[in-house]
Amino acid sequence: MSTSSIRTLEQNRAEQAWNDVQKVVNDNRDPKAYKSLVKSAPAFILTNGLLQTLAFYQSKRNSNAHKYLLDHLSGWVLKQLQLGPEANALSTTSGDNKLAQLLRSGNSSRLRLATQESLAYLQWLRRFADAQIEGEEQK
């Protein structure tokens, strides 16, 4: 494998975050609300914890911004923690988030790793949301 084909974790985070923000922009489903939510997410996680944050976003999933962020964050963390097969075995008929289900039933080290990865990924989401989405949501 050549050196030029080796990608770092930061490059992978950046690419996924770019794609996620572009989806929000292209779908044009309240991108300003998404930007505002992404900007506040790290503080929300640090204050309340990842599980509580996921539960809150899940409770607000009727909002496009909350649904997008929940999907983006959960999808990335599940992929990075390599929980795919374990996550696929879970049922989401109740509308529960797979990442939240796994973290509730897992150990504290899994929760800690998921929190760290969430915060690292949110840095890229925030950068690209700032760059690609004009303005702020009016409150």
Side-chain angles (χ1 to χ4, degrees):
M1 183 180 284
S2 72
T3 323
S4 63
S5 65
I6 298 174
R7 294 172 50 104
T8 67
L9 179 56
E10 284 299 310
Q11 287 173 308
N12 289 333
R13 283 181 187 135
E15 180 181 33
Q16 186 62 49
W18 174 263
N19 292 336
D20 287 344
V21 169
Q22 289 304 305
K23 179 173 176 142
V24 171
V25 170
N26 292 336
D27 287 352
N28 199 25
R29 294 190 176 185
D30 209 1
K32 290 179 184 178
Y34 178 83
K35 178 180 178 179
S36 177
L37 195 59
V38 165
K39 290 174 86 170
S40 66
F44 203 76
I45 290 170
L46 290 172
T47 302
N48 301 298
L50 181 59
L51 274 172
Q52 292 87 341
T53 301
L54 292 172
F56 175 74
Y57 294 161
Q58 183 69 27
S59 73
K60 302 287 186 179
R61 69 185 175 276
N62 291 335
S63 150
N64 287 322
H66 287 87
K67 182 179 180 340
Y68 273 125
L69 184 54
L70 180 66
D71 291 348
H72 296 164
L73 194 57
S74 296
W76 175 258
V77 173
L78 284 171
K79 180 180 169 186
Q80 292 310 302
L81 296 181
Q82 299 175 345
L83 300 174
E86 194 176 341
N88 289 337
L90 295 172
S91 169
T92 57
T93 54
S94 66
D96 196 6
N97 178 267
K98 287 183 179 183
L99 178 59
Q101 283 182 296
L102 284 169
L103 294 176
R104 281 194 310 266
S105 64
N107 58 33
S108 63
S109 63
R110 180 184 282 178
L111 178 58
R112 191 171 39 256
L113 285 172
T115 301
Q116 290 172 339
E117 188 56 40
S118 295
L119 294 171
Y121 184 61
L122 283 166
Q123 288 179 345
W124 284 106
L125 276 179
R126 183 178 183 156
R127 288 177 187 143
F128 290 132
D130 273 341
Q132 295 297 307
I133 301 171
E134 295 291 323
E136 296 287 332
E137 179 185 32
Q138 297 299 315
K139 293 187 179 193

